[in-house]
Amino acid sequence: MSKKLIRLADCCMAFDGELVLDHINLYINDSEFLTLLGPSGCGKTTTLRIIGGFITPTSGEVLFDDVRMNDIPPNLRKVNTVFQRYALFPHLNVFENVAFGLRIPKTVEEGGRKRKVRVPEAEIRQRVLEMLEVVSLKGFDQRRISELSGGQQQRVAIARALVNRPKVLLLDEPLGALDLRLRKDMQSELKRIQQQLGITFIYVTHDQEEALAMSDTVVVMDQGRIQQIGTPEDIYNEPKNAFVADFIGESNILDGIMHEDFVVEFFNRKFKCLDKGFAPMEPVDVVIRPEDIDIVPAEKGALRGTVTSVTFKGVHYDTIVDFKGFKWLIQTTDYHSEGETIGIVLNPDDIHIMRKSQYSGMFGDYSSYSEEYDDLEDVSLLEEEEGGDEE
Amino acid sequence: MKSKRALFAVPYVGWLALFVVAPIVMVVIYAFSTAGGGFTLENFARMGTYATVFTRSFWLALLATLICLLIGYPVAYFISREGPRFQRVAMMLVMLPMWMNFLLRTYSWMSILENTGLLNRLFQSIGLIGLVNRIFGTSYDYFPMINTQGAVVLGMVYNYLPFMILPIYSVIEKMDGSLLEAARDLGANGAGVFRKVILPLSLPGVLSGVTMVFVPAVSTFAISRLLGGGTQMMLGDLIEQQFLGGAYNPHLGAAISLVMMVIVVVCMTVMNHFGEGEEQAVML
């Protein structure tokens, strides 16, 4: 589990003088499910294409098993890719699409002599049919690609890559074109396949839920830089800066001052927290997750505010509360009507402290709550554009 | 709504009826009738005399099509791989000769290929003709180029090459780049990507290019007369003679046209079928 399979050392990438990747340092372990997560234009697809060999970094090194791979073309790398829009060959049927990689003779060196080796036809047949079974497409081998639904095409693309037994599978937003229901199914399916075959997956997505649900490791990227690397729990519970806190899940982000270890001040009040190691009186960002906040009667609250909007979300209510002009999002199962004055209680483990960063002050206020939701829905559109730009 | 929209089709349907269907019907009627108007098969029986013209026409058209394909495919392929600016300029250059009058272009070839034409004078001045004479023991004053089959084929290739390049180029240019990346990713080298993805996917372009060159080439008339000097009579010339020339016989001309049309249709059907078969074969 801890063997470093792929390493990106100080990789930069510039297109037409514009820096797209800014000193990326990253390693990927054997049998790991690693996700590159970030908004459109953050450089995640570029990173994947560097690993796949479709582009060469402007500077820095790509290492597979500590061997420099910068100038090795994609066909000689032991990785395979599942493309964003599948890229299945329309002139071949399902069987031939999956068999494509197996039908290409491999050059092997034997006693200093190079020799071309072909996979025998019987083995091709066996491996293709086996792989179609793994992706639940048994009996589809003679279908034309145009006869398949989006989800089925997706599975063919995965089978076509996996049948070559790559060490690493690269997936570029593979579920982006599927509807929500199918997406959820494919998420667990992908996870199952990854665990069944024990192959390293590098997965690119802008969907934070997808990333949290599937990954062993999440790499959060923005503006060509890695913002944080960690397990899904780490990323959610201990975000490193305001960008990560805002991008992963919902969060209220406030300005605070760290008085001493375990004591933070915001809204002119001191709160106990679990963080330490800051300079005395250091300005910090304070993150409070909306589901961690407990609403109590106004007189019992540590802070007092007025409810300005309530939205029913099924399991809970999204309640926007105005605390002295700063609006918080609170998720609670109890209904509080608009205009009501309420109090809240914060436990020390509800409060997470982050150092100030370039993202401070950009996120975390819910004054423009509904607009933010609209933006979230637009992400998929933006993503499409990004794909086009990078080609 | 639907019937209203159908109104827009009326002008074209009228055009089709008047200028496509009616002429074909007239050709058929003429082909099966005598000058007096009675039914006859004699027009077809007489055609045996012109067997050499038929074979020459199809042979030269086939040769020209093949050469166009051999030149056109690589050109189309390499143009489509360059940047968009290069592509625009290159495609304009491909089309450029077509903006000049067809006869003018063919006359220019005459003056280039003539016995005392540009090429022969060039060969003389650089001593090429003398050199060939010395090596092969011949005694050429000039290379005979005009009035040969070669000249006719050259003229056809020159005139119809853009029709081959254009459809192939547009098919390759529109090809999804991620398909080529996928092939690379699955282990294919440059040649493998071409053979297994680009070539089979560009077949529709090749088929329409072949059609667009072969059909006009087989019925061409001015090229063979101007560059073949009357020694290389082709079907187009023969038909022209029946309608305008001394051998005035529109019934025979119609019959020849009809037979040519049928042969072309059969050729195209077989080829399209073959093209589909090719795709099937790749699939299996």
Side-chain angles (χ1 to χ4, degrees), chain A residues 132-156:
Chain A
L132 285 175
E133 223 174 309
V134 170
V135 298
S136 318
L137 278 181
K138 200 179 174 186
F140 280 71
D141 51 312
Q142 294 306 318
R143 296 279 188 99
R144 290 172 144 260
I145 296 304
S146 53
E147 293 168 357
L148 303 181
S149 70
Q152 289 165 340
Q153 291 190 13
Q154 178 62 75
R155 286 159 200 264
V156 175

Side-chain angles (χ1 to χ4, degrees), chain A residues 49 80-81 88 91 96, chain B residues 179 181 184-186 196 283:
Chain A
R49 288 172 64 78
N80 285 115
T81 308
L88 298 175
H91 59 296
E96 284 306 320
Chain B
L179 289 179
E181 282 190 350
R184 280 311 286 239
D185 185 73
L186 293 167
K196 295 188 147 199
M283 255 186 252

Side-chain angles (χ1 to χ4, degrees), chain B residues 7 20 26 30 41 69-70 91 109 111 115 126 144 146 153 166 182 187 197 199 213 245:
Chain B
L7 277 178
V20 178
M26 279 166 68
Y30 260 77
L41 288 175
L69 182 61
L70 289 179
M91 286 320 285
W109 272 112
S111 63
N115 297 342
I126 60 171
I146 193 93
V153 172
L166 218 61
V197 180
L199 192 60
V213 171

